[in-house]
Amino acid sequence: MNISELNVYPVKSLQGIALEQTQLHEHGLAWDRRWMLVDARQRFVTQRQIPALATVGVALSGDALVLSHPDVEPLAVPLAEPEGNLRLVSVWDDHCKALPESDEVSRWLEAALGTSASGLSLVRFATDFQRSVEEDFLAGGAAHTYFADGYPFLLTTTGSLAALNDALVAGGHDPVPMSRFRPNVVIDSDTPWAEDRWATLADATGTFQFALRKPCQRCKITTIDQQTAVIQEPAEPLKTLLALNTQPALKGAHFGQNATLLKGDGAVIRVGAALEARERDA
């Protein structure tokens, strides 16, 4: 069993970046969900409200976050922290301190996406602020994250995607790529839903170790093509996931596991790394 993909999403709900290696931190992969779009009320905005956000490309250069879109010239946002007063922004029920990026980003977004992006601004997580992960699934521990929905890491497996796609095709639907689920770490594993039984996942050398905390409940973002923003089948793959009922004790459709880092803050994680899982006690 090994890592087949590593993905980082510097701006929440924009396109991700596939990596061969990156650094692990307790708050997530390096640069993951460091930025977020907010509306005039300083509340987070995602593809749930504006599917077209999926068409905005993201890259990281040595000194800039680079946004791109087919209809406008790319925009470079300096990696150096912006000057300005801290804002209090919200993501779900959490209130976080953030630094606003320049108004140029807002103008660029509206030029790229039209009126649907009117009033949006880009904010950067203030790293001297700590956003805690919900305690209910941490077994007495503690963890924190940036602007991710709730946990610093999302892990998925190729075996589960294959099982889901088999069910989709059997029901007369098109298969979906892994990008629909926006994972950080994709594990090459032949056994469907094996991740739901894992307590921990570590690399074979013992350099890092994840704790798998909670099944990830999925939303309408899984119905959106993550390059074009097209919604081909509004109910899928959620309807098929619900029918598979991989989490009988929980409501909703689930795919993948939310995770925290037990060991390896600052370590390098690489595609191809061999992994070993420890299953939960029965």
Side-chain angles (χ1 to χ4, degrees), residues 42-250:
Q42 307 307 308
R43 182 159 179 80
F44 77 124
V45 174
T46 71
Q47 292 178 35
R48 298 173 184 91
Q49 296 86 28
I50 308 175
L53 295 178
T55 63
V56 180
V58 177
L60 288 167
S61 69
D63 59 1
L65 167 79
V66 182
L67 305 180
S68 61
H69 188 274
D71 295 338
V72 291
E73 291 297 314
L75 176 69
V77 179
L79 293 184
E81 287 198 351
E83 296 181 357
N85 296 325
L86 286 170
R87 291 186 189 177
L88 197 62
V89 300
S90 60
V91 51
W92 298 113
D93 294 328
D94 293 337
H95 297 281
C96 307
K97 292 180 180 179
L99 290 162
E101 300 291 355
S102 74
D103 292 340
E104 184 183 8
V105 183
S106 300
R107 293 190 292 270
W108 185 91
L109 287 166
E110 189 166 356
L113 302 179
T115 56
S116 65
S118 178
L120 296 186
S121 57
L122 184 68
V123 298
R124 181 189 311 217
F125 196 94
T127 53
D128 59 352
F129 174 78
Q130 194 167 92
R131 179 183 172 220
S132 297
V133 172
E134 59 182 349
E135 297 177 353
D136 299 13
F137 298 88
L138 297 184
H144 60 99
T145 188
Y146 285 171
F147 287 137
D149 271 357
Y151 285 78
F153 303 95
L154 176 62
L155 280 58
T156 62
T157 68
T158 57
S160 295
L161 182 66
L164 170 60
N165 280 333
D166 285 347
L168 283 167
V169 171
H173 309 289
D174 291 334
V176 296
M178 189 68 85
S179 60
R180 292 285 186 95
F181 302 98
R182 299 176 65 83
N184 295 116
V185 183
V186 180
I187 299 123
D188 190 7
S189 172
D190 293 334
T191 306
W193 322 116
E195 64 274 19
D196 295 337
R197 300 189 296 274
W198 297 340
T200 62
L201 189 68
D203 75 315
T205 65
T207 302
F208 61 80
Q209 184 182 45
F210 296 106
L212 282 72
R213 300 296 191 178
K214 181 185 180 183
C216 185
Q217 186 172 353
R218 310 314 308 214
C219 69
K220 65 182 288 185
I221 289 178
T222 61
T223 69
I224 302 169
D225 185 298
Q226 290 300 297
Q227 295 294 319
T228 66
V230 171
I231 302 174
Q232 196 70 38
E233 293 186 87
E236 294 295 352
L238 292 173
K239 187 175 180 181
T240 297
L241 274 174
L242 280 168
L244 288 170
N245 195 27
T246 61
Q247 297 289 337
L250 301 175

